[in-house]
Amino acid sequence: MNGHIPFRRLHNFRDLGGRTTADGRTVRPGRLFRADSLGKLEGDDWDLFLSLGIRTVIDLRYPWEIEGKGRVPEHPSLAYRNLSIEHRPYDQAALAPSVDPGPYLAARYAEVAEDGVVEIRETLELIATADEGPVVFHCASGKDRTGLVAALVLSLLGVAEDAVVEDFTLTERATDALRADWRAAHPDRSLTWPGYGSAPAEVMTGFLAGLKSRHGSVEGYVRNALGLDTAFVERLRAALLDGPPTTVPPAPAPLAFRRAAEADLSTLVRLRDGAARWQLARGIDHWKPGHMTESHFRARLTEGEVWLALHGEQVVGAWELWWSDPAAWGPQPPTAAYVHRLMTDRSTAPPGTGRRMLAEAERRTVAAGRTATRLDCLTDNPRLHSYYRAAGYSPVGRQTVEGGWDGPYTVTLFEKRL
């Protein structure tokens, strides 16, 4: 689900409706939109915008940005508010290539959340009037300030964090166009930061983790920092959600685990190839179909452990558990277990299967008398880094591994103390 609405000059305009909440409701389509700069609206784009019936425009940019780039055209049907939530400007285009987008932008978002409490509160209060007519909020690229507000709203509505993060990453479809716009507007400058216009998941997961660390939850931030109470949250939900709650948040589906055997080799190959195809379809060049045959898994059955996750009678995931990993970690005392090939069948695995497989691997680690679970992943896979961080794993180093299919490769090493 992406809700993208195709404008000619706007690259990042989308409807936040259609997402489901933990209590079974749906974010009402056509009531809340997020966008890049509406100062670009003209011609057919303006007609398309008016056809959406929007009644309130919230411009999150600095006044000097509006002066330089323009604002949404005036129209009798539109109420316009400028609420500049960011108080410390910075030039993303001029950042050094070495700056990691994940932690850097998560820290900037944290600054905005603390500096802009007055403006963020007003923004949320205006969004809660969506029952009086659709609302759109936007900044320049529709990514950072807009992404922060979207994350707060979706979280308050009860949308799962995975879906909140997914909404943030949808800006990636606009990255190339946003960079082209920047270059056209700055012909005398060079775009030095490769992260410009990108929206890796670890930005949002890092921001939300920090917010929860400081305030306990998004609702805790809204209550403690913004001064908005439970009644406000209910008013926001009434404005943007369809119908009353219809379900109790589902308990995690039961999973069973067992050691793999010779008869499971073809299933393991199928799982691994399916995971590889899923990654490639999303532009993640990590695993490749066909690279691991039954002989690989047969060796792992002998040299370590291979575990299966079952949902009912169906195998929905698997992982390898090693007792040493000198290629990535070097010689180590026997105090840790090493997780490899964590993989799920995304067509059949219930939500949360990957986390529960990690938890089972950690339980097995402790049962074997060891005190840490370790794993590694390619250093250039920030989405997977965010996943492991959220599961409690901390990066502890990097290692170049020889003998890959395409030559040496660099992995980031993660560890969780148990």
Side-chain angles (χ1 to χ4, degrees):
M1 175 182 301
N2 61 56
H4 179 73
I5 298 175
F7 287 83
R8 184 176 60 84
R9 284 287 296 118
L10 272 64
H11 314 302
N12 205 13
F13 195 113
R14 55 187 187 266
D15 187 344
L16 288 173
R19 289 166 175 80
T20 57
T21 65
D23 63 4
R25 289 186 279 184
T26 302
V27 181
R28 193 174 299 151
R31 308 304 290 179
L32 185 62
F33 302 90
R34 54 176 293 175
D36 46 329
S37 175
L38 299 183
K40 297 182 284 186
L41 284 172
E42 62 182 14
D44 291 343
D45 279 356
W46 177 235
D47 293 337
L48 174 57
F49 177 83
L50 290 178
S51 74
L52 298 174
I54 290 169
R55 293 294 175 261
T56 302
V57 175
I58 305 170
D59 191 334
L60 304 174
R61 296 175 297 166
Y62 291 98
W64 52 265
E65 290 180 278
I66 298 168
E67 183 177 352
K69 298 293 185 180
R71 47 153 283 183
V72 66
E74 294 189 20
H75 191 273
S77 67
L78 294 177
Y80 173 81
R81 288 290 302 279
N82 174 213
L83 294 167
S84 179
I85 65 172
E86 183 181 279
H87 292 197
R88 296 183 238 182
Y90 58 103
D91 186 355
Q92 289 191 21
L95 293 174
S98 59
V99 174
D100 187 339
Y104 179 81
L105 290 177
R108 301 291 76 72
Y109 292 12
E111 290 175 354
V112 173
E114 301 304 323
D115 294 346
V117 291
V118 172
E119 295 84 1
I120 293 172
R121 174 185 172 126
E122 289 186 50
T123 297
L124 294 182
E125 289 178 324
L126 282 172
I127 289 171
T129 66
D131 54 346
E132 300 174 7
V135 176
V136 62
F137 56 95
H138 76 93
C139 55
S141 296
K143 177 173 75 76
D144 299 312
R145 290 163 286 187
T146 298
L148 184 155
V149 170
L152 294 179
V153 172
L154 291 175
S155 298
L156 291 173
L157 294 177
V159 173
E161 183 172 321
D162 286 352
V164 174
V165 174
E166 179 190 35
D167 171 70
F168 175 77
T169 63
L170 288 173
T171 288
E172 293 279 356
R173 66 180 295 156
T175 297
D176 290 345
L178 294 172
R179 290 174 179 169
D181 276 2
W182 187 93
R183 290 188 176 97
H186 304 88
D188 56 339
R189 290 181 58 190
S190 295
L191 185 60
T192 62
W193 191 43
Y196 184 88
S198 66
E202 65 177 332
V203 176
M204 187 52 64
T205 56
F207 166 65
L208 292 174
L211 203 69
K212 292 172 186 176
S213 175
R214 292 187 298 274
H215 299 281
S217 65
V218 173
E219 287 197 37
Y221 164 74
V222 167
R223 181 176 60 253
N224 300 329
L226 305 187
L228 294 169
D229 58 15
T230 302
F232 165 78
V233 176
E234 291 306 315
R235 180 158 56 92
L236 181 75
R237 292 174 177 171
L240 290 170
L241 296 179
D242 277 331
T246 58
T247 64
V248 175
L255 288 181
F257 305 99
R258 69 167 174 85
R259 292 278 294 271
E262 180 80 13
D264 300 307
L265 293 176
S266 62
T267 298
L268 291 166
V269 172
R270 175 183 60 78
L271 281 171
R272 203 269 180 188
D273 285 351
R277 284 189 288 271
W278 183 89
Q279 291 175 11
L280 290 172
R282 286 152 182 80
I284 304 169
D285 189 11
H286 187 179
W287 292 355
K288 291 181 173 61
H291 267 176
M292 287 192 173
T293 63
E294 290 187 7
S295 62
H296 165 85
F297 292 104
R298 182 177 291 111
R300 296 319 310 168
L301 291 177
T302 302
E303 299 168 9
E305 298 181 2
V306 183
W307 286 83
L308 303 177
L310 293 92
H311 188 225
E313 298 297 319
Q314 190 164 25
V315 176
V316 296
W319 74 94
E320 299 173 13
L321 197 62
W322 299 10
W323 300 113
S324 66
D325 186 7
W329 292 81
Q332 295 284 334
T335 58
Y338 302 82
V339 174
H340 285 271
R341 243 75 58 195
L342 186 78
M343 49 197 179
T344 61
D345 182 342
R346 292 182 174 269
S347 66
T348 60
T353 293
R355 289 281 187 89
R356 287 146 71 190
M357 291 195 302
L358 278 176
E360 179 64 16
E362 293 155 13
R363 187 202 64 77
R364 176 71 184 116
T365 301
V366 172
R370 304 202 176 195
T371 58
T373 302
R374 294 171 177 163
L375 48 83
D376 64 74
C377 71
L378 289 179
T379 297
D380 61 359
N381 191 341
R383 180 171 181 171
L384 193 54
H385 289 204
S386 299
Y387 181 84
Y388 288 136
R389 287 175 190 266
Y393 286 78
S394 299
V396 295
R398 291 186 179 182
Q399 179 68 32
T400 298
V401 179
E402 303 293 335
W405 292 293
D406 299 320
Y409 58 95
T410 302
V411 296
T412 298
L413 307 176
F414 287 85
E415 180 179 79
K416 184 174 182 178
R417 305 297 298 179
L418 304 175

